[in-house]
């Protein structure tokens, strides 16, 4: 019986590839190898790893399980491509030997792995310095609970970075006097489409080594394909049987202030049928991610779980991005990881303001909250690795003279606009609620609208439908 050796895939530390791998290469192989991975070459638009749609080269940041520290990584697929390309281009007449197996980081060694786009050699050098600096602050500063939500953050980033699956931000609103009385449901559905890329000029075609025919026959480098997110559907549905239960005493009543389309009043049976059809995995290609802000108020509520959700979603993502299944993502947990505080969960309004630097007055409308939940998810999922993103958004204050830097990952110095006096000004500037309602569309009975992405300045185009005659 023939025996087949298992093929192991994973990641390699960049430092091991740069400094250790060349030590075991034959002398004649060292120069072409070093030329290929040099930072100036790697970040050139002529390099095979260059991704024209992203404007940079894709590498990875992995978080080690045993100490929660980050490392800049190559994927094993990229290493295989290096070996193939150098031989295919005629720089050597054989494949380079594989890196040592002890350098390979497998899935079970990493808490998470997420891609990162690096555009210049200076940026690559700065990224490595930043990782080293943040790793020093991490040592002894992360407890078990905080480590768990930090892992969630990076796994969500990794899943979003695959540009696959369906992402549905959801929100339920209930009556303030009886939280088991559902009054509204809102959602925003996001899918992916291929980005507009110049397909006539590939990285291999642009190579300057002089052997164009071989370059054109080279395989596509890992990470060269690109997709962009597109909002395909939105909705704000009001439960007909409970439409006269209004908030306003303990919770703001913004039911009539839907900002992204037209509201619909729907009978209970149709209300439940539509929600089930929306989130049913078999109605979508690939995994389905349900995005909540504080899922304990939505998916974990027994009434929602028993009467609306046919099966509860999985509350944790696997180590590698899934290819199928139904998963729940909690943006309140992600933000807690970002600000380094496992003990508190901020309201959606607070998270939105801190991430978007914008004030909205129409929260507590299920349709609006779903859209703003998707906004904060995208801010965090595309903002870079957790620690790098936190330092960029809220730089740590300098240490006192003669004192070492604090070993903490908690944001302790919020900017002035996040302080209480700013919140007082915000309340003074709040527009009259009756005026807001008059300026927004009134609820109608009709078909769902379709909303498509149109760019940052005009992000949505509303395609409205006429209400049926009663």
């Amino acid at each position: 019986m023939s025996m087949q050796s298992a093929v192991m895939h994973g990641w390699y530390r960049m430092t091991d590839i740069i400094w250790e791998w060349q030590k075991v290469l034959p002398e004649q192989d060292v120069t072409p190898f070093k030329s290929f991975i040099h930072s100036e070459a790697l970040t050139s638009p002529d390099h095979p790893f260059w991704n024209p749609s992203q404007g940079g080269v894709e590498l990875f940041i992995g978080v080690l399980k045993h100490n929660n520290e980050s490392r800049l990584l190559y994927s094993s697929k990229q290493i295989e491509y290096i070996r193939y390309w150098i031989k295919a281009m005629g720089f050597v007449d054989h494949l380079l030997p594989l890196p040592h197996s002890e350098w390979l980081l497998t899935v079970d060694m990493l808490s998470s792995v997420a891609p990162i786009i690096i555009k210049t050699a200076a940026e690559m050098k700065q990224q490595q310095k930043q990782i080293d600096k943040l790793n020093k602050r991490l040592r002894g500063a992360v407890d078990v609970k905080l480590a768990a939500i930090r892992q969630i953050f990076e796994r969500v980033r990794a899943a979003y970075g695959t540009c696959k699956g369906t992402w549905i931000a959801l929100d339920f609103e209930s009556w303030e006097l009886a939280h088991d009385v559902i009054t509204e449901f809102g959602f925003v559905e996001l899918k992916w489409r291929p980005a507009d890329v110049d397909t006539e000029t590939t990285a291999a075609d642009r190579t300057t080594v002089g052997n164009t025919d071989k370059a054109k026959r080279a395989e596509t480098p890992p990470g060269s394909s690109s997709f962009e997110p597109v909002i395909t559907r939105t909705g704000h549905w009001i439960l007909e049987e409970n439409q006269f239960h209004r908030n306003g005493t303990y919770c703001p009543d913004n039911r009539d202030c839907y900002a992204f389309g037209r509201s619909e009043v729907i009978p209970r049976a149709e209300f439940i049928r539509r929600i089930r059809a929306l989130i049913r995995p078999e109605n979508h290609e690939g995994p389905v991610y349900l995005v909540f802000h504080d899922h304990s108020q939505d998916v974990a509520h027994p009434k929602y779980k028993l009467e609306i959700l046919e099966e509860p979603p999985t509350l944790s993502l696997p180590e590698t991005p899934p290819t199928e299944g139904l998963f729940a993502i909690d943006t309140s947990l992600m933000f807690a990881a970002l600000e380094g505080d496992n003990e508190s969960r901020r309201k959606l309004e607070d998270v939105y303001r801190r991430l978007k630097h914008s004030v909205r007055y129409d929260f507590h409308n299920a349709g609006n909250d779903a859209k703003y939940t998707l906004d904060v998810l995208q801010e965090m999922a595309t903002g870079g690795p957790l620690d790098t993103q936190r330092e960029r958004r809220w730089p740590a204050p300098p240490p006192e003279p003669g004192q070492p830097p604090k070993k903490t990952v908690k944001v302790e110095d919020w900017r002035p606009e996040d302080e209480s006096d700013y919140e007082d000004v915000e309340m003074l500037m709040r527009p009259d609620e009756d005026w807001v309602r008059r300026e927004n569309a009134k609820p109608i009975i009709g078909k769902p609208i379709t909303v498509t992405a149109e760019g940052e300045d005009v992000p949505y185009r509303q395609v409205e439908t006429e209400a049926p005659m009663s």
Side-chain angles (χ1 to χ4, degrees):
M1 183 177 64
S2 62
M3 297 181 62
Q4 295 181 346
S5 58
V7 178
M8 188 76 73
H9 295 288
W11 297 266
Y12 293 93
R13 296 177 180 88
M14 175 173 277
T15 51
D16 286 339
I17 296 302
I18 293 176
W19 305 112
E20 301 300 327
W21 194 15
Q22 62 175 300
K23 294 179 181 179
V24 300
L25 295 178
E27 184 177 353
Q28 67 272 20
D29 297 349
V30 173
T31 298
F33 164 73
K34 292 174 68 174
S35 299
F36 188 96
I37 66 168
H38 192 278
S39 58
E40 293 288 352
L42 200 63
T43 54
S44 167
D46 295 324
H47 196 279
F49 283 0
W50 182 265
N51 187 328
S53 64
Q54 298 287 346
V57 60
E58 183 182 75
L59 298 176
F60 300 87
I61 289 186
V63 179
L64 302 175
K65 271 189 178 179
H66 69 279
N67 60 6
N68 292 309
E69 294 185 6
S70 299
R71 296 290 186 271
L72 199 57
L73 308 173
Y74 283 106
S75 71
S76 57
K77 291 182 180 179
Q78 289 175 316
I79 298 303
E80 286 290 344
Y81 187 84
I82 292 173
R83 299 173 66 228
Y84 165 81
W85 191 89
I86 291 177
K87 179 179 183 294
M89 297 305 298
F91 292 110
V92 296
D93 58 3
H94 56 274
L95 289 175
L96 301 184
L98 284 168
H100 200 287
S101 60
E102 291 184 356
W103 304 338
L104 182 68
L105 298 174
T106 55
V107 170
D108 58 334
M109 299 178 186
L110 298 165
S111 297
S112 62
V113 179
I116 180 173
I117 300 297
I118 297 179
K119 300 181 178 181
T120 65
E123 184 179 330
M124 181 177 294
K125 184 177 181 180
Q126 182 61 34
Q127 185 68 51
Q128 189 61 63
K129 285 184 176 180
Q130 183 75 359
I131 290 174
D132 293 341
K133 174 185 173 182
L134 295 173
N135 284 340
K136 291 178 181 178
R137 288 183 58 189
L138 275 173
R139 290 164 191 160
V142 179
D143 59 23
V144 175
K145 291 183 179 179
L146 184 56
I149 62 174
R150 285 170 59 87
Q151 181 183 91
I152 291 172
F153 185 99
E154 291 297 349
R155 288 185 179 180
V156 172
R157 283 191 61 244
Y160 192 87
T162 64
C163 302
K164 296 179 180 178
T166 302
W167 299 70
I168 307 174
L170 311 175
D171 184 68
F172 290 94
E173 289 291 320
S174 59
W175 189 30
E176 60 189 2
L177 300 182
H179 290 176
D180 60 345
V181 177
I182 302 172
T183 57
E184 308 170 45
F185 171 79
F187 75 94
V188 179
E189 180 187 78
L190 180 149
K191 293 180 181 288
W192 303 88
R193 69 181 178 192
D196 293 331
V197 181
D198 183 3
T199 56
E200 295 181 0
T201 305
T202 65
D205 294 331
R206 293 191 306 273
T207 185
T208 59
V209 297
N211 195 333
T212 306
D213 292 336
K214 290 183 178 179
K216 288 183 177 179
R217 291 198 299 269
E219 295 177 354
T220 303
S224 62
S225 61
S226 180
F227 293 81
E228 60 184 6
V230 178
I231 292 177
T232 52
R233 288 190 292 171
T234 67
H236 176 229
W237 302 335
I238 299 169
L239 186 57
E240 183 178 24
E241 288 82 351
N242 295 338
Q243 63 179 310
F244 299 108
H245 292 291
R246 307 291 301 217
N247 295 334
T249 303
Y250 305 106
C251 177
D253 181 5
N254 283 324
R255 183 185 300 173
D256 301 332
C257 301
Y258 183 40
F260 304 100
R262 303 295 297 274
S263 302
E264 299 179 69
V265 181
I266 303 175
R268 182 180 185 82
E270 178 68 7
F271 186 85
I272 294 176
R273 187 196 67 78
R274 285 195 188 185
I275 297 176
R276 287 179 173 175
L278 172 69
I279 67 175
R280 191 173 289 129
E282 51 266 33
N283 291 344
H284 304 277
E285 181 178 351
V288 176
Y289 302 95
L290 306 183
V291 185
F292 301 91
H293 189 80
D294 192 356
H295 72 273
S296 64
Q297 301 299 316
D298 291 314
V299 68
H301 195 291
K303 189 174 184 66
Y304 306 159
K305 184 183 295 184
L306 294 175
E307 297 190 20
I308 294 179
L309 301 180
E310 295 176 295
E311 59 175 281
T314 303
L315 299 181
S316 60
L317 294 179
E319 294 175 334
T320 57
T323 56
E324 60 181 9
L326 183 66
F327 301 90
I329 291 173
D330 189 340
T331 53
S332 70
L333 282 178
M334 291 182 66
F335 190 79
L338 183 60
E339 69 170 336
D341 186 0
N342 184 52
E343 301 301 323
S344 63
R345 297 290 181 271
R346 295 191 180 273
K347 296 184 297 183
L348 179 60
E349 300 96 301
D350 295 336
V351 173
Y352 186 89
R353 175 157 53 84
R354 284 170 166 81
L355 292 176
K356 301 289 288 185
H357 301 288
S358 176
V359 178
R360 302 286 307 195
Y361 304 104
D362 51 2
F363 288 94
H364 297 284
N365 172 290
N368 295 343
D369 285 0
K371 173 59 172 60
Y372 303 145
T373 298
L374 182 65
D375 286 347
V376 300
L377 168 78
Q378 291 180 296
E379 277 287 326
M380 292 185 283
T382 62
L386 190 153
D387 293 307
T388 304
Q389 185 176 158
R390 185 191 62 250
E391 291 297 305
R392 174 175 55 82
R393 294 183 184 277
W394 312 293
E400 296 293 333
Q403 298 296 321
K406 290 183 179 180
K407 288 191 174 183
T408 179
V409 294
K410 184 176 181 179
V411 177
E412 296 181 342
D413 185 26
W414 286 109
R415 299 180 184 222
E417 63 264 29
D418 294 315
E419 295 177 353
S420 59
D421 56 348
Y422 179 81
E423 294 175 356
D424 294 338
V425 174
E426 176 186 327
M427 293 304 298
L428 289 173
M429 298 296 292
R430 182 183 178 95
D432 178 70
E433 292 183 1
D434 291 335
W435 179 87
V436 172
R437 290 196 182 96
R438 289 196 300 271
E439 293 298 311
N440 284 275
K442 297 298 181 181
I444 64 168
I445 300 177
K447 298 179 181 180
I449 67 165
T450 299
V451 179
T452 57
E454 289 290 333
E456 293 183 358
D457 294 332
V458 186
Y460 304 101
R461 179 177 72 250
Q462 298 179 4
V463 184
E464 300 181 354
T465 57
E466 295 295 331
M469 298 295 293
S470 57

